[in-house]
Amino acid sequence: MRDPLTDCPYNKVYKNLKEFSQNGENFCKQVTSVLQQRANLEISYAKGLQKLASKLSKALQNTRKSCISSAWAWASEGMKSTADLHQKLGKAIELEAIKPTYQVLNVQEKKRKSLDNEVEKTANLVISNWNQQIKAKKKLMVSTKKHEALFQLVESSKQSMTEKERRKLLNKLTKSTEKLEKEDENYYQKNMVGYSTRLKWENTLENCYQSILELEKERIQLLCNNLNQYSQHISLFGQTLTTCHTQIHCAISKIDIEKDIQAVMEETAILSTENKSEFLLTDYFAWNECLKHTPATPPSLMQRARKTQQR
């Protein structure tokens, strides 16, 4: 006899739904894994950007204040703001999408296991009863054949048997009939139990089917909510990032290069004036007084003195 579960339409529909649900669960886990990697990238990028912003801020501390340095200060603040945005985005993805999704998936997995156990339990009852029916049917068939053979023997031996032998065969036939009735009743009861067990199994399949459908609706709604939240965060991220870039653009547009260059020229000019050393010419007038009292003045010295006086 064929397995009663094989051709049951309820069982086929339930297995198809389970396969569909398993594919949906795998997709949900893959999406959550991608979101986790995105969150990790956002947080990692935020940390790197914060380090760069700190380096730029330290570099600006040792730089003379000017339009250029002010613009770069805005760029440093922009890096910090962008880092905060990426940090918040990564944390938001983890808290609002990844964590709730894993919680829902864990709860659904427990419910699905409970449903599968319930279906398997009732299915095992059906199989067990089915095997009992097979055994009872085989036993009934064997007893029926023996009873029919005994009945044929009694019918065919009426003329050739003594009264004692005839009574003995009749007693055997009576016992065989009682045994056959008991086995037939047993087989009937097994069939009735099988009928109720099969109904229970089919009802269990139907109820579990509806429960898994509800789980699928919950999972689909969860994915939809995650998409909406992700879209909102990305939209807000873009708007805030645009505002930050606008501030940097305004700071850059206010740069006055000529003013910075003029300030540098003035500062370096003051420094050059303060550090300029005085150039002194050699005073040869003292040689004129010396020449009056010195009889033998070298020609070269006389010539130098005349040139100096001419100047």
Side-chain angles (χ1 to χ4, degrees):
M1 300 176 70
R2 297 187 63 182
D3 187 347
L5 308 183
T6 303
D7 296 330
C8 179
Y10 288 95
N11 192 35
K12 291 181 179 179
V13 172
Y14 181 73
K15 286 185 177 180
N16 291 336
L17 179 61
K18 277 186 61 178
E19 184 178 357
F20 177 82
S21 178
Q22 186 64 47
N23 292 335
E25 182 182 1
N26 293 337
F27 172 74
C28 194
K29 288 181 179 180
Q30 291 173 359
V31 170
T32 307
S33 176
V34 170
L35 288 177
Q36 182 65 67
Q37 294 178 34
R38 171 67 187 271
N40 294 340
L41 286 175
E42 292 292 339
I43 295 173
S44 177
Y45 180 73
K47 291 180 180 179
L49 204 56
Q50 287 173 351
K51 291 181 180 179
L52 294 178
S54 298
K55 288 183 179 180
L56 184 55
S57 297
K58 290 180 181 179
L60 289 170
Q61 291 176 359
N62 301 324
T63 305
R64 184 182 59 84
K65 291 185 178 181
S66 61
C67 296
I68 295 292
S69 62
S70 298
W72 276 111
W74 274 105
S76 176
E77 291 298 323
M79 288 184 185
K80 292 180 181 178
S81 300
T82 305
D84 291 339
L85 286 176
H86 284 282
Q87 182 82 10
K88 290 179 181 178
L89 179 60
K91 293 296 183 181
I93 292 175
E94 285 184 338
L95 294 177
E96 299 179 18
I98 298 172
K99 187 176 180 180
T101 301
Y102 276 129
Q103 289 176 347
V104 171
L105 289 179
N106 289 334
V107 172
Q108 286 193 354
E109 185 177 0
K110 292 179 181 179
K111 289 183 179 179
R112 194 176 288 106
K113 285 183 178 179
S114 177
L115 295 173
D116 289 340
N117 290 334
E118 188 175 355
V119 170
E120 184 178 1
K121 183 178 179 180
T122 53
N124 289 335
L125 291 177
V126 173
I127 294 297
S128 176
N129 174 265
W130 188 257
N131 292 329
Q132 291 176 11
Q133 288 185 50
I134 292 174
K135 291 180 180 179
K137 185 177 182 180
K138 287 181 179 180
K139 191 175 182 180
L140 179 61
M141 291 175 64
V142 172
S143 298
T144 300
K145 288 181 179 180
K146 289 182 179 180
H147 180 76
E148 290 177 351
L150 183 59
F151 181 79
Q152 292 294 333
L153 179 62
V154 172
E155 289 294 327
S156 62
S157 304
K158 284 182 179 182
Q159 303 299 328
S160 59
M161 288 189 301
T162 63
E163 186 65 22
K164 184 177 181 180
E165 292 175 343
R166 183 171 176 274
R167 287 179 180 178
K168 187 176 181 180
L169 285 175
L170 288 175
N171 289 334
K172 287 183 179 180
L173 184 62
T174 302
K175 292 181 180 178
S176 176
T177 303
E178 293 175 353
K179 181 180 179 182
L180 186 62
E181 288 178 351
K182 289 181 180 180
E183 291 179 354
D184 184 68
E185 179 66 20
N186 180 52
Y187 179 63
Y188 172 77
Q189 293 297 330
K190 296 293 183 185
N191 276 271
M192 295 304 295
V193 172
Y195 173 75
S196 61
T197 304
R198 184 181 178 88
L199 284 180
K200 182 180 179 181
W201 173 61
E202 291 179 352
N203 289 332
T204 302
L205 283 175
E206 185 176 0
N207 294 333
C208 292
Y209 178 88
Q210 294 297 330
S211 298
I212 292 181
L213 277 182
E214 293 299 323
L215 295 180
E216 283 302 296
K217 292 178 182 178
E218 183 182 9
R219 182 185 59 79
I220 292 173
Q221 186 63 48
L222 176 66
L223 287 174
C224 183
N225 293 338
N226 288 343
L227 278 175
N228 290 329
Q229 291 176 350
Y230 180 79
S231 177
Q232 291 176 2
H233 283 296
I234 293 298
S235 178
L236 181 62
F237 177 85
Q239 293 174 5
T240 310
L241 193 62
T242 301
T243 303
C244 179
H245 288 172
T246 302
Q247 293 175 347
I248 297 174
H249 179 73
C250 291
I252 294 173
S253 63
K254 294 178 181 179
I255 294 176
D256 190 349
I257 298 178
E258 296 297 332
K259 183 179 179 181
D260 283 357
I261 294 175
Q262 183 64 30
V264 172
M265 295 297 293
E266 291 176 357
E267 185 175 349
T268 54
I270 294 172
L271 291 175
S272 62
T273 303
E274 292 176 351
N275 298 330
K276 183 178 180 181
S277 60
E278 184 178 358
F279 180 72
L280 299 176
L281 294 174
T282 305
D283 188 3
Y284 288 104
F285 290 99
W287 282 103
N288 294 332
E289 297 297 329
C290 292
L291 290 175
K292 296 178 181 180
H293 304 285
T294 304
T297 303
S300 58
L301 293 178
M302 290 293 294
Q303 292 174 0
R304 291 178 183 176
R306 290 193 188 99
K307 290 181 179 179
T308 302
Q309 291 177 354
Q310 290 176 1
R311 291 175 185 175

